[in-house]
Amino acid sequence: MKAAVGVSRRDFLRSASVLSFAIMAEGAVQVFAGKAYAQDAAPKPANAWVTINADDEITIRFASTEMGQGVMTSLPMILAEEIDADWSKVSVEQIDKGAESTYGNPQTGGLLFTAGSSSVAGYFDIMRRAGAGARRILIYSAAAAWRVPAGEVTTEPSAVVHPSSGRRMTFGEVAALPRIVDKVPGIADSDLKPRSAYRLIGTNLERRDIPGKVRGDAVYSIDVRLPGMVYAAQLHPPVEGEVPLAVSGAEAKALDGVVDVIKLAHSIVVVAERWETALQARDLLKVEWSTESPFRSANSETELAATVAAVNDAQRAATAWEARGDAATAFNGGRHRRLTANFTTEYIYHGQMEPLNAVAAVDADGKGAEIWLGTQSQSVSVAAAAQALQTTPDRIRFHAMQMGGSFGRRTFFARDNLRDALMISRQVKRPVKLMWTREDDVKNGWLRPATAHKLQAALDENGRVVAFHHRVASPSILAYAAPSRWQHAKNRDVLVMEGTESTDYDIPDLLADHVILERGSRVSAWRGIGWGPNCFARECFVDELAEAANSDPVAFRHSLLAKSARGRAVLDAVVSMSNFGNAPSGRAHGLAFAGYKTTVGAGVAEISIDRESGQIRLHRFWAAVDPGMAIHPKNLEAQAEGGIIFGLSGLLKERVTIIQGQIQQSNFYDYEPLRIHEVPQIEVRIVESDANPSGAGEIGVPMTGGAVANAVYALTKRRLRDMPFTPERVKALLDA
């Protein structure tokens, strides 16, 4: 450094102007001037992935939102690996909004949208190339300062070195050079690090979000407090689609601290200086609601019966989701043995720990706003805010907050929750925090819909599956939750049907189709989307087919996975881990193979049953998961464990019932998730392959239903085909 610029490093940093630069995803460079150690140091360019300051601080930005899945760590790790950063010098920053052309996830249609285990899979190449581009700029800039060929220069953690002369600069010193070389060759695949050279990827770095959560100083949107902020409690109609006809708010307004009572299109809102006052005043409202909603007749029990009838009605039209070969001809040939089975799942609530909330401060002119929101999509939320205020997205200053869980609930909710917060803030001309209680969240939940499945298979004389038909009856999730996507989907609902394609299984003739029904409730994606119900039905049926073919669950699946080396690897791993089929006395094992997009997994459940009560007890659960490459192994294991617990809770206990359009449950005492003492011992093994990383936030869910149901059969010789597996259902099965 001294030879290059003629002054000492310390003097240079103290006295000279420095340059802070950022590398864009597309390879361009932006450079901003600032003063070393100044409070107003160089700003980050609008579309930067990484900035390096003269004090050696490296700021890496990530575009997915953090809801407990660890992207605050795993995504920056990818870029830090390629730039060769010293992780201790890295800080991370959530992208609140920005150009979708730069930050959009290609796996979610180019939007800033976090769902479907798409974060690592979608941003892996983007962040590798951004990091490699930044590293190349550092190398070329240092080489120019040293007047040596760039090919002689390399990097060590957060330093650029010229091995033959022993010269080195920290990344911060390079950033402070008077000249940054911003025209460098583009990054080819061969320029990216091979896996063998990784020193960060594949290691168990501490998650960046955990310390704040442990200390209690992590800030969620529900924690935000602003000067002059008021609180809003919302009274919703008893049934979806109803509206307030008359409101008497005199008693509510009489309470000290009540700011206003506001009538919105579909609700009444009490605004107060304190949250407790808003809740107290809400209880004093007297509202006459309309009663003509078509959802007044909704009943979950009769809806489920109608769903079963629809899936079994061969005359009902269905939309093909996957069609391989010619399943119809194979079934109608008459030469093969044919088997059929039916399965159902019921409504489930998301149960995220942080109920829905939004903080909004609308500008004085009503055409702009600052927003704090925990959301799975910055793009959707900014667009919803701009639409609500009839303004342009540039007038929306958006803060994407960490979320206290989501599991699909915070995908499209901004169109209602955020919209209402904006309307309230604009009317009272103050910042507003709109919060739902747990009861609000349950009663107005967007639920995973009930589904019915009819599965048919044809076995040849050797017991091989030659044809397979997976028919699903369910309302469309997309039609309600994302109507703009549904308009272009041609009746193909990815959130309902994904997982029915069974591409890992070698089945020559396969048809998966969807009988689309009218919804009886608000519906949305739930962790694992269609893979949860669809793999449950399929894997139960596969065990039935194995028995019909005089085979066993492992050998039969091995045959089906003949063309999937990854599938066989996880199957063999979980069989070995669990010593499958050799459960202790009074217990039994059940097996399920499952995928989630390009992640492959298999699970084994070990259960016992209290035959007096019908209660299933989970003792152990083993899972083998192939995520391609594990960016952050311990976190990946934790995500798989979380998915398993989520799946087990949904299949053993969770169920929403609806009578006359109203959800009957209200809180965790009557919508009871799996309790800590009911969680089995869980063991997850990562079985890496040469595939690109694919994520693990959802893979635990699809393997649970089939594994537990198949274990029940192994223990009782009775088949469970209806989820949830409540004690009443199990007892009825045993007594039949």
Side-chain angles (χ1 to χ4, degrees), residues 59 605 675:
T59 302
R675 301 296 184 181

Side-chain angles (χ1 to χ4, degrees), residues 111-136:
L111 298 176
L112 287 161
F113 198 106
T114 306
S117 295
S118 63
S119 294
V120 168
Y123 286 111
F124 181 61
D125 281 338
I126 292 172
M127 299 203 77
R128 282 201 300 167
R129 291 180 183 279
R135 179 175 178 269
R136 179 159 287 179

Side-chain angles (χ1 to χ4, degrees), residues 34-237:
K35 289 286 186 180
Y37 307 114
Q39 293 297 315
D40 57 346
K44 297 177 181 66
N47 292 325
W49 282 108
V50 56
T51 48
I52 303 173
N53 295 322
D55 62 358
D56 283 334
E57 179 188 9
I58 302 170
T59 302
I60 298 176
R61 307 180 81 195
F62 62 99
S64 291
T65 49
E66 179 63 72
M67 52 186 141
Q69 81 277 40
V71 292
M72 186 180 287
T73 307
S74 55
L75 290 181
M77 282 175 69
I78 299 167
L79 196 151
E81 181 68 75
E82 288 291 348
I83 199 176
D84 213 3
D86 178 342
W87 186 251
S88 68
K89 300 181 185 300
V90 171
S91 60
V92 301
E93 183 178 286
Q94 168 75 62
I95 291 168
D96 294 321
K97 60 182 288 190
E100 276 80 1
S101 60
T102 296
Y103 293 135
N105 188 333
Q107 293 206 348
T108 60
L111 298 176
L112 287 161
F113 198 106
T114 306
S117 295
S118 63
S119 294
V120 168
Y123 286 111
F124 181 61
D125 281 338
I126 292 172
M127 299 203 77
R128 282 201 300 167
R129 291 180 183 279
R135 179 175 178 269
R136 179 159 287 179
I137 294 292
L138 293 166
I139 287 174
Y140 272 69
S141 297
W146 288 325
R147 298 183 178 88
V148 300
E152 295 181 3
V153 178
T154 186
T155 57
E156 296 174 353
S158 282
V160 184
V161 297
H162 184 234
S164 62
S165 67
R167 285 178 289 186
R168 62 185 288 120
M169 294 188 213
T170 67
F171 285 179
E173 289 170 335
V174 177
L177 287 171
R179 176 174 172 257
I180 299 295
V181 177
D182 59 359
K183 302 296 183 186
V184 299
I187 300 298
D189 289 346
S190 58
D191 296 320
L192 300 171
K193 280 188 181 182
R195 290 193 188 187
S196 58
Y198 288 160
R199 59 177 185 80
L200 296 177
I201 291 176
T203 65
N204 293 311
L205 299 173
E206 181 184 79
R207 271 178 50 166
R208 290 298 176 95
D209 60 317
I210 294 299
K213 292 174 178 176
V214 172
R215 293 192 300 263
D217 56 17
V219 179
Y220 303 84
S221 57
I222 204 168
D223 299 319
V224 171
R225 289 176 172 82
L226 304 174
M229 186 180 77
V230 290
Y231 296 83
Q234 196 165 21
L235 182 64
H236 298 90

Side-chain angles (χ1 to χ4, degrees), residues 237-279:
V239 175
E240 179 190 355
E242 296 182 345
V243 298
L245 300 177
V247 182
S248 175
E251 289 184 62
K253 290 180 178 179
L255 285 182
D256 185 35
V258 171
V259 174
D260 203 354
V261 174
I262 300 172
K263 180 181 176 183
L264 298 177
H266 299 286
S267 65
I268 308 297
V269 177
V270 175
V271 184
E273 299 289 350
R274 298 176 66 250
W275 170 241
E276 294 80 4
T277 304
L279 285 178

Side-chain angles (χ1 to χ4, degrees), residues 492-698:
R492 289 173 49 82
D493 194 321
V494 62
L495 301 178
V496 172
M497 292 301 295
E498 202 167 54
T500 57
E501 57 273 5
S502 300
T503 51
D504 288 296
Y505 283 160
D506 180 22
I507 301 173
D509 297 303
L510 181 143
L511 173 64
D513 53 7
H514 182 191
V515 179
I516 302 171
L517 306 177
E518 292 294 322
R519 66 181 182 90
S521 180
R522 304 173 182 91
V523 290
S524 182
W526 193 83
R527 191 173 188 175
I529 58 171
W531 294 85
N534 296 332
C535 287
F536 153 62
R538 184 196 68 199
E539 289 303 298
C540 290
F541 192 47
V542 165
D543 258 35
E544 296 188 40
L545 297 178
E547 185 176 53
N550 295 316
S551 184
D552 66 80
V554 177
F556 194 74
R557 285 178 174 81
H558 240 285
S559 176
L560 285 172
L561 294 167
K563 296 182 179 179
S564 174
R566 296 176 67 198
R568 294 194 306 276
V570 296
L571 179 64
D572 290 342
V574 82
V575 167
S576 173
M577 292 163 64
S578 62
N579 193 20
F580 179 75
N582 295 291
S585 177
R587 303 181 186 180
H589 288 162
L591 171 67
F593 173 79
Y596 183 84
K597 298 184 178 178
T598 57
T599 301
V600 180
V604 169
E606 181 177 289
I607 70 155
S608 64
I609 298 176
D610 182 331
R611 292 178 178 263
E612 290 297 317
S613 67
Q615 181 69 54
I616 297 173
R617 182 182 176 192
L618 266 294
H619 299 278
R620 301 189 69 181
F621 199 100
W622 297 267
V625 176
D626 177 357
M629 179 196 309
I631 301 295
H632 197 190
K634 285 295 183 184
N635 182 58
L636 192 147
E637 291 175 11
Q639 290 305 299
E641 290 171 358
I644 289 165
I645 294 170
F646 218 77
L648 294 175
S649 184
L651 69 89
L652 288 178
K653 305 187 75 170
E654 297 182 41
R655 173 204 262 164
V656 165
T657 54
I658 299 171
I659 298 176
Q660 293 183 338
Q662 298 183 55
I663 291 175
Q664 299 302 294
Q665 292 71 31
S666 60
N667 209 315
F668 289 131
Y669 65 86
D670 58 0
Y671 185 88
E672 191 173 358
L674 206 64
R675 301 296 184 181
I676 289 176
H677 71 277
E678 297 170 309
V679 174
Q681 180 181 342
I682 300 173
E683 180 183 347
V684 176
R685 180 181 298 175
I686 298 172
V687 183
E688 287 193 286
S689 65
D690 58 2
N692 276 350
S694 54
E698 329 240 2

